[in-house]
Amino acid sequence: MKTFADYAEELERCYTQQAQQFDHSRRKHWPEFDYIKQALPQDTQTPKVLELGCGSGRLYGFLRDGWYSHSYIGVDFAQGMIDVALQTYADEWSEFVCADMCAYLQACQQQSLDVVVAVASVQHLMNKHDRQLCCEAMYRCLEYWWTLILVNRSLSHWFVKKYWKELVQAAWNALLDPKKSRNDVMIPWKDPDWQTNQKIYQRRYHMFTLSELTDYLRSAWFVIEQACYIAQDGTMSDQWSHARNSFVVARKGV
């Protein structure tokens, strides 16, 4: 029987193995990046930005063009992703680190960051304890009244139609084991050399509802500034049915 450590290890292998393919497939502009940029503080010249789950560095590549001076650290647990980020985006303003995001946050000094961004990464945390620990650590590291931005994959009619078997299996697993959540879904991803090795990775996702995600943040003392879905056409919406991602902006309260 697989443990959380087994799922995490397979997830890391998946993203390392597919780093180059992932980077090429993610060059298309995401409307979420425009909303992230709008949510970033505009009244300081040197914000300290930490991105959790930075992948191949695509968000930094988007932000640095035409943005003001900044200090950026990108953290990802897949060495293959970090290698691509270093090859593509390394400059005097950026640092890319291969590390577990919870461990990295816990090692950060208190109130040492102005902005924390996590795009499609908190959704990979393996259990409720880790998700709560991550929220509390993000709160501790941020300066007061500064910014947390979370983007996570969302349920939608499209997702349900495509992955209904995986959703049924997740619901069945939760029925058999009360410690499991029906929102913990295993999503298959074919190896780039699938035609020769027939390897399929299983990526573990936690499909947050907006209310669940904001509850995590409020329990860590964050003040929610914005919580919505990003629809397939790139507009903001309060409906999950045609969503692609959820989008949450929060501030560190007192």
Side-chain angles (χ1 to χ4, degrees):
M1 184 176 181
K2 283 189 175 182
T3 65
F4 289 139
D6 294 328
Y7 288 126
E9 183 179 346
E10 180 160 7
L11 191 66
E12 189 278 330
R13 287 200 308 269
C14 173
Y15 283 119
T16 288
Q17 182 71 17
Q18 305 204 43
Q20 292 288 346
Q21 182 190 52
F22 182 93
D23 180 54
H24 289 302
S25 66
R26 298 304 191 274
R27 293 297 177 92
K28 184 178 179 180
H29 177 67
W30 269 27
E32 286 84 349
F33 289 178
D34 292 321
Y35 296 128
I36 289 172
K37 193 170 185 178
Q38 292 170 16
L40 291 172
Q42 304 295 320
D43 56 353
T44 179
Q45 292 300 308
T46 55
K48 299 175 183 177
V49 179
L50 172 65
E51 183 183 3
L52 301 173
C54 65
S56 58
R58 58 185 176 140
L59 176 60
Y60 177 66
F62 170 75
L63 292 177
R64 73 177 180 178
D65 296 333
W67 198 27
Y68 41 69
S69 300
H70 53 281
S71 173
Y72 170 94
I73 301 174
V75 175
D76 200 281
F77 75 147
Q79 185 63 56
M81 290 292 192
I82 293 298
D83 290 341
V84 174
L86 288 169
Q87 293 167 8
T88 311
Y89 298 113
D91 59 26
E92 61 181 313
W93 298 107
S94 65
E95 179 182 358
F96 292 97
V97 180
C98 183
D100 173 83
M101 62 182 179
C102 288
Y104 187 90
L105 283 167
Q106 289 178 311
C108 286
Q109 293 184 353
Q110 186 173 355
Q111 295 173 230
S112 59
L113 300 168
D114 298 325
V115 179
V116 174
V117 183
V119 178
S121 55
V122 173
Q123 64 194 23
H124 289 309
L125 291 175
M126 293 293 156
N127 54 59
K128 184 176 181 179
H129 174 267
D130 287 350
R131 291 189 281 271
Q132 190 63 52
L133 184 68
C134 183
C135 291
E136 293 172 358
M138 290 188 290
Y139 183 91
R140 184 184 67 83
C141 294
L142 277 169
E143 288 278 8
Y144 282 104
W145 296 114
W146 282 74
T147 309
L148 170 67
I149 305 170
L150 299 182
V151 179
N152 289 284
R153 196 168 189 176
S154 174
L155 286 172
S156 65
H157 287 165
W158 172 88
F159 187 92
V160 172
K161 183 178 180 179
K162 183 172 183 178
Y163 295 113
W164 68 270
K165 292 181 180 178
E166 289 79 6
L167 289 165
V168 169
Q169 184 63 57
W172 178 250
N173 293 340
L175 184 64
L176 295 177
D177 185 352
K179 294 181 181 180
K180 295 181 179 180
S181 168
R182 64 182 299 162
N183 288 347
D184 290 334
V185 184
M186 303 301 297
I187 303 298
W189 197 355
K190 290 182 179 180
D191 188 281
D193 297 323
W194 180 81
Q195 290 185 345
T196 57
N197 63 20
Q198 302 294 297
K199 173 65 178 177
I200 297 179
Y201 295 97
Q202 295 294 328
R203 297 169 296 162
R204 184 183 176 91
Y205 282 82
H206 183 77
M207 307 300 291
F208 287 104
T209 63
L210 269 184
S211 60
E212 178 190 18
L213 190 53
T214 54
D215 283 347
Y216 272 114
L217 295 177
R218 288 191 179 99
S219 69
W221 296 97
F222 277 103
V223 176
I224 307 301
E225 187 171 275
Q226 185 177 19
C228 64
Y229 294 105
I230 307 299
Q232 294 291 340
D233 63 1
T235 59
M236 289 185 172
S237 171
D238 60 358
Q239 301 295 320
W240 68 271
S241 56
H242 297 290
R244 44 189 275 146
N245 289 303
S246 60
F247 182 81
V248 177
V249 179
R251 307 283 181 187
K252 178 174 179 174
V254 294

